Amino acid sequence: MSSPAFPEPTFVEANGLKLAIHEQGSGLPVIMCHGFPELAFSWRHQLPAVAAAGFRAIAPDQRGYGRTVDAATGRIPDGVEAYDMKHLTGDMVAMMDAMGIDKAIFCGHDWGGFVVWQMPLRHPDRVAGVIGVNTPFIPRGPIEPITAMREAYGDDMYIVYFQQPGVADELFGKDIPKSLRFWYRKSAVTLEDFDKAAPDAAKNLALTKLFEVPESEWGGDALLTPEEAAYYEAAFARTGFTGGLNWYRNFTRNWQRSENLPDRVDVPCLMISAANDVVLRPELTDGMEQFCPDLEKHVIADCGHWTQAEKPDELNALITDWLTRRFSTGS
């Protein structure tokens, strides 16, 4: 599938940022939050589809990414703490204030999924609904998360590895085109085959170990067209990867500061999983109904982690069908 024309950004000042925002359409806003290492551009197939369904589709480059910068310095924000969940959700509220938006539906993938599931817990008066793409709602666990991940998978598990300041930043920054080719690949195996035959490094999610093997052994077809790859490469050449990696470096801080938050999402929710996502596996949605009582779930077959680009037509159909059934358009 060729990429649709992607709208140029407008800029608003919000929460100390100069936020780059790409949008199409009118009606009830649907704010799309990307993950790592992504951009607003990752929603390039969804923006026109959601707009055509009668909604205002909005995709920002989030904190640390793309053309969004610190309003004072013109660079990505400094300091790990600047990327905690309070800032990430606060950015969305401040953006809505600057755009004159009272309530929105939030749609998030990967790390953006964590952000959108936190929005109704932290800012319930600003959220009309939530769509999780691959990323489920995960209630606060009893154990500090990095400790739990280290015990389960070891020190080379990618999120544990990312905790080291500057290390993954340098590894991925040395050859940005190669790094993006590594991340942006179609699903190579089914979950069943992965569980049976994947190497230990893969099963332990030691992604940086896999990054170091010859590129011919990575598996899966490249996902991006040359033009799409060039867009991402130019963006990460400007920012590097530190901003995005700093989101991971706040797992402990976010856990520590979320003790008194509710664990129930009382708005309409849509959960769309990908059958072959080996990190955000569909079974992670088991039991979500306990926390999201108004929940609809779907699984897209033959799809890996990068659902927006790997199966855009299937994802768009599920999103727009749910939006038009659950929300009046043109409001």
Side-chain angles (χ1 to χ4, degrees), residues 37-97:
E38 297 188 274
L39 302 163
F41 184 67
S42 300
W43 299 104
R44 59 196 175 276
H45 299 292
Q46 286 67 55
L47 278 176
V50 170
F55 295 84
R56 183 181 181 185
I58 299 169
D61 282 336
Q62 291 181 263
R63 178 177 290 255
Y65 287 96
R67 293 190 233 184
T68 287
V69 294
D70 184 290
T73 67
R75 304 186 302 269
I76 66 169
D78 291 327
V80 171
E81 294 83 1
Y83 296 85
D84 67 8
M85 193 58 73
K86 180 179 178 181
H87 283 89
L88 298 178
T89 56
D91 292 344
M92 296 300 97
V93 172
M95 179 187 76
M96 293 170 71
D97 290 343

Side-chain angles (χ1 to χ4, degrees), residues 190-198 203:
T190 66
L191 283 187
E192 182 180 7
D193 289 342
F194 176 85
D195 291 340
K196 287 179 180 177
K203 288 183 178 179

Side-chain angles (χ1 to χ4, degrees), residues 46-222:
Q46 286 67 55
L47 278 176
V50 170
F55 295 84
R56 183 181 181 185
I58 299 169
D61 282 336
Q62 291 181 263
R63 178 177 290 255
Y65 287 96
R67 293 190 233 184
T68 287
V69 294
D70 184 290
T73 67
R75 304 186 302 269
I76 66 169
D78 291 327
V80 171
E81 294 83 1
Y83 296 85
D84 67 8
M85 193 58 73
K86 180 179 178 181
H87 283 89
L88 298 178
T89 56
D91 292 344
M92 296 300 97
V93 172
M95 179 187 76
M96 293 170 71
D97 290 343
M99 299 174 73
I101 295 171
D102 179 38
K103 278 193 172 187
I105 299 158
F106 282 85
C107 176
H109 171 258
D110 188 79
W111 247 110
F114 290 118
V115 173
V116 304
W117 288 118
Q118 285 288 305
M119 285 297 298
L121 308 186
R122 295 168 182 264
H123 306 284
D125 57 328
R126 310 306 296 269
V127 181
V130 178
I131 303 169
V133 181
N134 296 56
T135 310
F137 177 84
I138 300 175
R140 186 181 188 273
I143 301 172
E144 186 276 313
I146 299 302
T147 299
M149 292 178 206
R150 182 178 281 112
E151 290 177 353
Y153 296 105
D155 289 337
D156 290 328
M157 188 269 193
Y158 75 103
I159 295 175
V160 178
Y161 182 90
F162 286 175
Q163 302 306 303
Q164 305 171 79
V167 176
D169 321 44
E170 181 179 356
L171 177 68
F172 297 131
K174 283 189 297 188
D175 188 339
I176 290 171
K178 176 187 174 183
S179 297
L180 293 170
R181 289 195 303 274
F182 173 76
W183 290 110
Y184 282 103
R185 308 191 76 78
K186 295 181 181 179
S187 173
V189 295
T190 66
L191 283 187
E192 182 180 7
D193 289 342
F194 176 85
D195 291 340
K196 287 179 180 177
D200 288 343
K203 288 183 178 179
N204 291 331
L205 303 179
L207 301 186
T208 54
K209 294 292 185 185
L210 300 176
F211 181 70
E212 294 168 355
V213 305
E215 193 167 337
S216 60
E217 298 177 19
W218 285 349
D221 293 331

